């Protein structure tokens, strides 16, 4: 990436159709993990006008009321009136659930390392194989207090603020759907100016564009975007089409896993391609991405690099990663080869170890299904992958 550039990231509110689907998927997962921490879940959701379809593969010892979870989630978001074209009380909820494929289960239950070496005991951490092949990316930067790139951090903060002023009645004409976008100008890879800010907010039909624009600037943008980044040259677009009355699943269908860039780093670094929501932690799409974030954040918190990107890759049914790659974008205080060695010494990237170290078998995922899975310092309980509890030992091991 060049030293001087403009970079944009977007976020969406919890009322965006894709995020409605994500929250239902993770609501089902949380409900299963509450009673059956070993449950296997791959839950996909489609939402459209008056309709929710829940499909996937679930193997569990418990029972969950999927209809109830879907309806409570939708009402909690704010779709509570049929006139919105979608509400939790009157929408149809259809389910199409099957068990996890036995072919996949045998590789997850008994990794190839176990099948090839019968001396490995049932208790060995190598027992659990990766639930899929693929590559995952984790990243951290000291640019913000969240250890996240500033464009996505600000976009998420604006989206959360948009929801806050809707729910607390500050702007009572707002409705649940909304999107935000922030374009920052960088000089020498440091953010120096907000070039463009976009906020699109669903609203009551009687609210005027003039009123909405003034209120959004006062109650959403001004409290969130640092004043030193905004000046008379900053372009601010509020509902740039002029009207945003029809929104949510009535205006656009939603699908689980369709906002993966919003879920991670806003496009600042690559995304492996796999979605998170609705997947139990044996799926490395989810757990591998969390672990690489955890490792990258601790590297940056230790002062070993200002930025750190980690890629890990897996083969289905195999516990050990097939590759590990580190990129510090020239900010490392030690070589990337040495950082990779530190990672291998201080972090265990096998699926069962990730699940153990990050405490991934507990209900915690619905809260992450909107406003990003990384950098969530706004939550009452910090997710395991957001902790910096290994920074000091890494710093010492690096000789800093």
């Amino acid at each position: 990436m060049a030293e001087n550039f403009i970079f944009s990231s977007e976020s969406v509110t919890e009322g965006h159709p894709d995020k409605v689907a994500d929250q239902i998927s993770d609501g089902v997962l949380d409900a299963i993990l509450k009673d059956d921490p070993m449950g296997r879940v791959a839950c996909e959701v489609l939402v459209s006008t008056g309709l929710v379809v829940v499909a996937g593969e679930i193997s569990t010892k418990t029972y969950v009321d999927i209809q109830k979870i879907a309806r409570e989630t939708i009402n909690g978001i704010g779709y509570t009136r049929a006139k919105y074209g979608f509400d939790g009380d009157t929408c149809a909820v259809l389910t199409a659930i099957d068990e996890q494929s036995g072919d996949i289960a045998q590789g997850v239950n008994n990794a190839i390392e176990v099948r090839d070496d019968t001396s490995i005991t049932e208790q060995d951490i190598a027992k659990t194989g990766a639930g899929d092949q693929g590559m995952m990316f984790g990243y951290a930067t000291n640019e913000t207090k969240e250890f996240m790139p500033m464009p996505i951090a600000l976009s998420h903060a604006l989206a959360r603020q948009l929801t806050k002023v809707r729910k607390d009645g500050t702007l009572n004409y707002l409705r649940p759907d909304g999107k935000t976008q922030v374009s920052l100008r960088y000089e020498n890879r440091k953010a120096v100016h907000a070039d463009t800010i976009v906020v699109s907010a669903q609203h009551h039909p009687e609210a005027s564009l003039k009123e909405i624009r003034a209120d959004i600037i006062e109650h959403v943008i001004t409290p969130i975007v640092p004043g030193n980044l905004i000046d008379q040259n900053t372009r601010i677009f509020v509902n740039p089409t002029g009207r945003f009355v029809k929104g949510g699943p009535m205006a656009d269908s939603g699908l689980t896993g369709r906002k993966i860039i919003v879920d991670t780093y806003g496009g600042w670094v690559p995304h492996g391609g796999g979605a998170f929501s609705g997947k139990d932690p044996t799926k490395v799409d989810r757990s591998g991405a969390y672990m690489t974030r955890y490792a990258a954040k601790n590297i940056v918190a230790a002062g070993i690099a200002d930025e750190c990107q980690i890629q890990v890759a897996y083969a289905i049914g195999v516990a050990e990663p097939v590759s590990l790659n580190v990129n510090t974008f020239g900010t490392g205080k030690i070589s990337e080869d040495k950082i990779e060695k530190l990672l291998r010494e201080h972090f265990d990237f096998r699926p069962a170890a990730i699940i153990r170290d990050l405490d991934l078998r507990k209900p915690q995922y619905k809260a992450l299904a909107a406003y990003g899975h990384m950098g969530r310092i706004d939550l009452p309980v910090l997710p395991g992958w957001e902790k910096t509890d290994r920074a000091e030992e890494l710093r010492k091991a690096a000789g800093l």
Side-chain angles (χ1 to χ4, degrees):
M1 190 179 287
E3 295 295 306
N4 302 321
F5 53 89
I6 294 176
F7 193 88
S8 303
S9 293
E10 72 158 353
S11 184
V12 297
T13 66
E14 61 199 54
H16 186 282
D18 294 331
K19 281 293 149 198
V20 174
D22 283 344
Q23 289 166 92
I24 295 172
S25 291
D26 274 335
V28 172
L29 173 63
D30 278 354
I32 289 172
L33 292 179
K34 180 180 179 182
D35 294 328
D36 181 12
M38 303 303 290
R40 299 281 170 77
V41 182
C43 180
E44 314 288 344
V45 174
L46 161 71
V47 297
S48 188
T49 304
L51 175 66
V52 177
V53 179
V54 184
E57 296 76 45
I58 297 176
S59 298
T60 180
K61 298 175 182 178
T62 192
Y63 167 79
V64 296
D65 189 337
I66 290 177
Q67 284 226 8
K68 182 180 180 182
I69 292 167
R71 296 185 189 284
E72 287 181 348
T73 300
I74 293 163
N75 283 330
I77 291 167
Y79 289 113
T80 56
R81 301 180 66 186
K83 67 182 294 184
Y84 296 166
F86 186 77
D87 76 284
D89 294 327
T90 66
C91 67
V93 181
L94 308 180
T95 60
I97 303 295
D98 203 351
E99 290 187 340
Q100 183 183 59
S101 162
D103 295 343
I104 296 174
Q106 73 173 8
V108 176
N109 296 340
N110 292 287
I112 195 170
E113 291 92 337
V114 175
R115 286 176 274 136
D116 287 352
D117 182 357
T118 55
S119 68
I120 295 178
T121 69
E122 288 284 303
Q123 305 303 317
D124 196 285
I125 205 71
K127 186 176 187 295
T128 301
D132 203 351
Q133 71 175 49
M135 64 282 188
M136 301 85 217
F137 289 87
Y139 174 82
T141 172
N142 58 16
E143 181 181 22
T144 64
K145 64 181 183 295
E146 298 93 344
F147 286 79
M148 292 286 284
M150 192 176 292
I152 188 65
L154 288 177
S155 294
H156 283 324
L158 287 170
R160 289 195 301 268
Q161 183 71 4
L162 192 58
T163 296
K164 178 181 180 296
V165 297
R166 170 177 64 88
K167 288 188 169 183
D168 68 14
T170 300
L171 303 181
N172 58 14
Y173 55 77
L174 292 181
R175 290 179 176 172
D177 200 356
K179 301 182 78 171
T180 61
Q181 184 171 293
V182 176
S183 302
L184 297 183
R185 181 182 298 279
Y186 281 76
E187 294 179 2
N188 298 319
R189 289 184 70 83
K190 301 294 183 183
V192 297
H193 181 248
D195 184 82
T196 308
I197 299 170
V198 184
V199 178
S200 294
Q202 187 188 11
H203 59 88
H204 188 280
E206 293 182 4
S208 70
L209 180 59
K210 182 178 180 181
E211 175 188 16
I212 296 168
R213 176 180 168 80
D215 284 345
I216 293 295
I217 291 174
E218 179 181 356
H219 297 288
V220 178
I221 296 175
T222 300
I224 297 300
V225 181
N228 65 303
L229 294 179
I230 300 180
D231 61 23
Q232 66 275 12
N233 295 317
T234 299
R235 296 179 295 173
I236 297 177
F237 296 109
V238 175
N239 286 4
T241 68
R243 180 178 170 87
F244 188 4
V245 172
K246 187 176 182 180
M250 183 181 184
D252 188 15
S253 63
L255 292 169
T256 298
R258 202 159 60 176
K259 285 289 178 286
I260 57 176
I261 300 303
V262 171
D263 286 341
T264 52
Y265 306 100
W268 186 267
V269 295
H271 189 293
F276 301 156
S277 290
K279 296 178 180 178
D280 75 80
T282 66
K283 279 72 171 177
V284 285
D285 281 338
R286 177 165 227 158
S287 53
Y290 291 165
M291 191 61 171
T292 50
R293 163 65 177 178
Y294 177 53
K297 186 172 182 180
N298 275 272
I299 290 290
V300 174
I304 296 172
D306 295 335
E307 296 182 63
C308 183
Q309 173 188 293
I310 300 171
Q311 183 205 52
V312 67
Y314 294 90
I316 188 169
V318 181
E320 289 285 352
V322 299
S323 70
L324 186 67
N325 177 271
V326 178
N327 186 353
T328 62
F329 306 93
T331 69
K333 309 304 186 294
I334 61 176
S335 71
E336 289 169 355
D337 287 343
K338 290 182 178 179
I339 294 174
E340 181 181 331
K341 185 179 179 182
L342 283 176
L343 292 175
R344 293 185 183 277
E345 291 173 350
H346 292 267
F347 298 89
D348 192 336
F349 287 89
R350 291 175 295 177
I354 296 172
I355 292 168
R356 175 200 65 198
D357 293 345
L358 300 185
D359 196 13
L360 298 184
R361 290 203 185 276
K362 66 182 182 182
Q364 58 185 308
Y365 299 108
K366 186 177 177 182
L368 301 163
Y371 314 115
H373 292 246
M374 316 301 177
R376 294 302 303 274
I377 60 175
D378 61 293
L379 296 176
V381 178
L382 201 65
W385 55 95
E386 290 300 320
K387 295 178 180 178
T388 55
D389 51 351
R390 299 195 187 183
E392 186 57 34
E393 67 183 68
L394 285 168
R395 182 176 176 83
K396 290 179 179 178
L400 300 181

